[in-house]
Amino acid sequence: MINIPKVIDLVVKNDMCIGCGLCIYKCPSQALEVQINDYGFLIPEQISSCDSDGECITVCPFNPFPKEEVKTENEIAEIYFDKATKYQEKVGRYVNIYAGYANEFRLNSSSGGIATYIFTELIERGIVDHVFSVKQSTKPGFYYEYSISNNRKELSEAAKTRYFPVTLATVMPEIHKLKGKVAIVGVACFIKAIRLAQHTEPLLKDKIPFLVGIICGGVKSSFFTEYLASKVNIPIENIKKPQFRIKDLNSTAGDYSFGCSSTDDNSKKLIRMGSLGDMWGTGLFKANACDFCDDVTTELADISLGDAWLEPFNKEGKGTNVIVTRSFLADKILQEGITSGKLRIETLPLDKFIFSQQGSFNHRQTGLSVRIKKTEKQNILVPPKRFGNLKTNISFKLVQKQRIKVRRESLQKWKYHPNALSFDKEMAKDLKLLKRVTRISHYHRAIIKRIKKIFN
Ligand SMILES: Cc1cc2nc3c(=O)[nH]c(=O)nc-3n(C[C@H](O)[C@H](O)[C@H](O)COP(=O)(O)OP(=O)(O)OC[C@H]3O[C@@H](n4cnc5c(N)ncnc54)[C@H](O)[C@@H]3O)c2cc1C
């Protein structure tokens, strides 16, 4: 009889896998391989006999039975950032919070170019020798993938946000063959997986001295890229070089476009993302696991970077980062960048930073209890969560339930109707209902706020 790897049994089967690929790196029997599933997500699949005792599950960010010492992000942060004295329960441990940009890298980046700046500094100061980040892929159908960069030019090629499924399985198995140290970029769950791997294999702490965290509103299936391409009349088989964050330097930061070339005639087509309606708050094409992640700000990275979705920064089409430093090395690199004039950044008050990610906090932390209750009723295993018991009112619950439906339906519908015109038609009713319940929920919240004000 072939044993089933624990990660398949406890995570993949429950649709809780995010495809980080650390289980593939960890598996001593090399029984796992990454594959794209029917819904456009990368997941591990068993390819040979599993002779191990469940090592794979120890590095899984969605392990339903983690050890007490690494139970949630709080315990893990205590191991890695015990010297970061500031703490806020939504944001985690930190050293400082800023907003700003890197002069040299801003225009070629998605936000303010701080990620590319940090990696360039790490390489040029000799702190690391290699960077694992996301670059164009040569594999057919895989437009982007994690690969290795070693210099300024390669790091610039790896700039920009790719809303496309990627996995560390393309680079982690190589890590011990590389001479020197490695820095890695990742969204919260990927960073958590690396911290878990460092916990089980202390050699990796020295090998990976720096992690850049990307604040993430959800990992999208490859269907998202296909849908956007279809919106500009490029069929799936002709998609070439999709670009997710094309800035308009004369407009606001949020007014960015999706662009794509066609293998047919090399013509490049653009569409303003704002013209497509809400692609993020609705949960369209999002991984189920993201609905069970309560780490909004990538609490386990040395530095966390996001978009400054707040005034006055959002008025600037060139892009601006919000930045949270959690290690003193990260903070030092930024402070030295300010002194040398390479960075234009300023301190950002905690409440303003929280405001910049308010939608994500509402969904991922406040709304989590609704999803956990629903999932537990279906006997699906959920990893231990810090924000799983928050009370919510009836209208907010309805929004969460409708979002669950929209997320699930968007994947089902695209699978059978991979054309934007028919997909939009198929989704219209559910999206309209979501809009309606969201409006009611906002109204409800405003009334409660007003009543509280009167009685206080
Ligand atoms: C899936 C996803 C969701 C996001 N959601 C939000 C959000 O809700 N709110 C918010 O404020 N910010 C969000 N961001 C982050 C934001 O888009 C920027 O990536 C971030 O602000 C860094 O900008 P930068 O200009 O400093 O990065 P750049 O200098 O442009 O460098 C970007 C870095 O990210 C790496 N990268 C690109 N795509 C991926 C990927 N899929 N996974 C891991 N690394 C990648 C690149 O290789 C590069 O190293 C999201 C990013 C991603 C990838």
Side-chain angles (χ1 to χ4, degrees):
M1 195 186 81
I2 297 181
N3 288 328
I4 299 173
K6 276 201 177 155
V7 88
I8 302 275
D9 201 30
L10 301 175
V11 181
V12 178
K13 273 191 192 163
N14 283 321
D15 195 16
M16 286 285 175
C17 175
I18 196 62
C20 69
L22 262 286
C23 53
I24 293 170
Y25 161 79
K26 194 72 186 165
C27 174
S29 20
Q30 299 186 324
L32 298 167
E33 190 179 83
V34 81
Q35 306 271 352
I36 193 131
N37 72 8
D38 289 347
Y39 297 96
F41 291 109
L42 294 169
I43 55 156
E45 275 186 17
Q46 182 165 12
I47 49 162
S48 61
S49 168
C50 164
D51 319 308
S52 98
D53 197 21
E55 269 107 311
C56 57
I57 197 78
T58 62
V59 295
C60 177
F62 291 94
N63 177 5
F65 305 115
K67 285 194 177 150
E68 268 312 299
E69 76 258 25
V70 289
K71 191 172 169 194
T72 70
E73 284 76 358
N74 288 355
E75 289 76 20
I76 305 173
E78 226 168 276
I79 300 172
Y80 293 93
F81 301 122
D82 61 330
K83 294 194 178 65
T85 47
K86 295 177 194 158
Y87 172 78
Q88 202 283 341
E89 62 170 7
K90 284 173 184 283
V91 174
R93 286 170 180 263
Y94 65 97
V95 178
N96 277 312
I97 302 179
Y98 307 91
Y101 57 87
N103 292 316
E104 184 184 345
F105 302 104
R106 188 187 199 189
L107 294 187
N108 185 44
S109 292
S110 283
S111 307
I114 300 289
T116 307
Y117 175 80
I118 291 280
F119 285 133
T120 308
E121 289 293 308
L122 290 170
I123 290 266
E124 293 183 355
R125 290 171 186 223
I127 296 168
V128 303
D129 305 278
H130 317 277
V131 169
F132 290 174
S133 54
V134 177
K135 281 197 287 208
Q136 222 174 299
S137 166
T138 48
K139 286 185 209 136
F142 286 87
Y143 314 109
Y144 297 99
E145 65 179 358
Y146 266 98
S147 55
I148 305 166
S149 294
N150 300 301
N151 56 50
R152 180 177 279 256
K153 184 176 169 284
E154 289 171 354
L155 289 170
S156 281
E157 286 163 12
K160 294 195 183 139
T161 302
R162 315 299 184 184
Y163 299 126
F164 188 78
V166 289
T167 174
L168 285 162
T170 53
V171 283
M172 275 305 283
E174 302 303 310
I175 196 163
H176 294 296
K177 294 182 204 148
L178 294 172
K179 225 172 141 201
K181 302 191 185 210
V182 180
I184 306 179
V185 64
V187 293
C189 45
F190 282 45
I191 297 290
K192 183 177 180 185
I194 298 164
R195 290 299 186 203
L196 292 169
Q198 287 179 319
H199 188 66
T200 60
E201 188 185 341
L203 263 180
L204 283 181
K205 287 186 187 160
D206 190 51
K207 189 81 186 166
I208 311 169
F210 203 98
L211 295 175
V212 171
I214 295 292
I215 292 176
C216 167
V219 168
K220 299 282 195 193
S221 141
S222 63
F223 290 1
F224 180 56
T225 307
E226 295 172 7
Y227 171 76
L228 297 178
S230 176
K231 276 289 199 190
V232 289
N233 296 319
I234 296 180
I236 297 168
E237 59 279 11
N238 289 358
I239 298 174
K240 190 177 153 192
K241 291 193 185 162
Q243 297 282 334
F244 300 89
R245 296 281 300 258
I246 300 174
K247 294 176 181 178
D248 180 344
L249 304 186
N250 299 313
S251 187
T252 57
D255 190 16
Y256 58 85
S257 298
F258 168 81
C260 190
S261 301
S262 170
T263 51
D264 231 10
D265 53 4
N266 270 329
S267 60
K268 192 172 175 184
K269 295 191 180 147
L270 291 187
I271 187 163
R272 289 202 182 259
M273 289 301 290
S275 70
L276 303 178
D278 183 0
M279 299 300 296
W280 291 95
T282 49
L284 285 166
F285 305 115
K286 190 175 67 175
N288 183 49
C290 300
D291 267 353
F292 297 88
C293 163
D294 57 11
D295 178 357
V296 171
T297 66
T298 316
E299 297 171 41
L300 303 177
D302 289 83
I303 188 166
S304 310
L305 303 170
D307 291 295
W309 298 131
L310 78 164
E311 286 192 8
F313 312 108
N314 57 1
K315 297 267 188 296
E316 266 263 38
K318 290 178 185 166
T320 309
N321 285 107
V322 284
I323 308 159
V324 184
T325 56
R326 304 182 192 274
S327 73
F328 289 101
L329 174 57
D331 207 65
K332 184 168 171 270
I333 293 173
L334 287 194
Q335 289 295 339
E336 289 172 359
I338 300 172
T339 309
S340 68
K342 290 178 181 172
L343 298 180
R344 284 286 296 271
I345 58 173
E346 58 191 76
T347 305
L348 187 69
L350 173 68
D351 60 337
K352 283 202 166 175
F353 171 66
I354 291 177
F355 178 76
S356 78
Q357 306 295 328
Q358 194 58 56
S360 204
F361 284 120
N362 289 348
H363 179 78
R364 310 247 299 273
Q365 296 184 349
T366 315
L368 182 59
S369 60
V370 181
R371 294 186 291 277
I372 289 186
K373 263 192 206 123
K374 191 168 182 341
T375 318
E376 282 177 347
K377 270 189 202 153
Q378 297 163 325
N379 287 326
I380 290 174
L381 294 168
V382 178
K385 290 286 132 192
R386 302 163 297 168
F387 297 92
N389 291 318
L390 300 183
K391 284 215 163 73
T392 56
N393 64 48
I394 177 76
S395 63
F396 187 76
K397 275 194 185 96
L398 286 177
V399 173
Q400 304 313 310
K401 287 188 176 165
Q402 186 60 14
R403 277 192 192 148
I404 293 173
K405 186 164 183 219
V406 164
R407 190 203 67 77
R408 192 187 56 224
E409 287 297 307
S410 69
L411 295 166
Q412 285 290 349
K413 295 268 155 66
W414 188 261
K415 189 176 165 202
Y416 298 107
H417 305 273
N419 169 284
L421 211 64
S422 40
F423 175 84
D424 286 346
K425 246 189 234 157
E426 291 281 331
M427 289 301 297
K429 210 168 131 205
D430 276 319
L431 284 170
K432 198 167 164 194
L433 184 57
L434 178 58
K435 213 171 184 177
R436 220 172 258 173
V437 287
T438 305
R439 205 174 296 145
I440 293 169
S441 176
H442 288 168
Y443 190 60
H444 192 173
R445 196 166 56 200
I447 292 174
I448 292 173
K449 218 171 159 185
R450 203 170 295 171
I451 293 172
K452 273 189 184 158
K453 218 173 173 183
I454 293 168
F455 286 98
N456 279 338

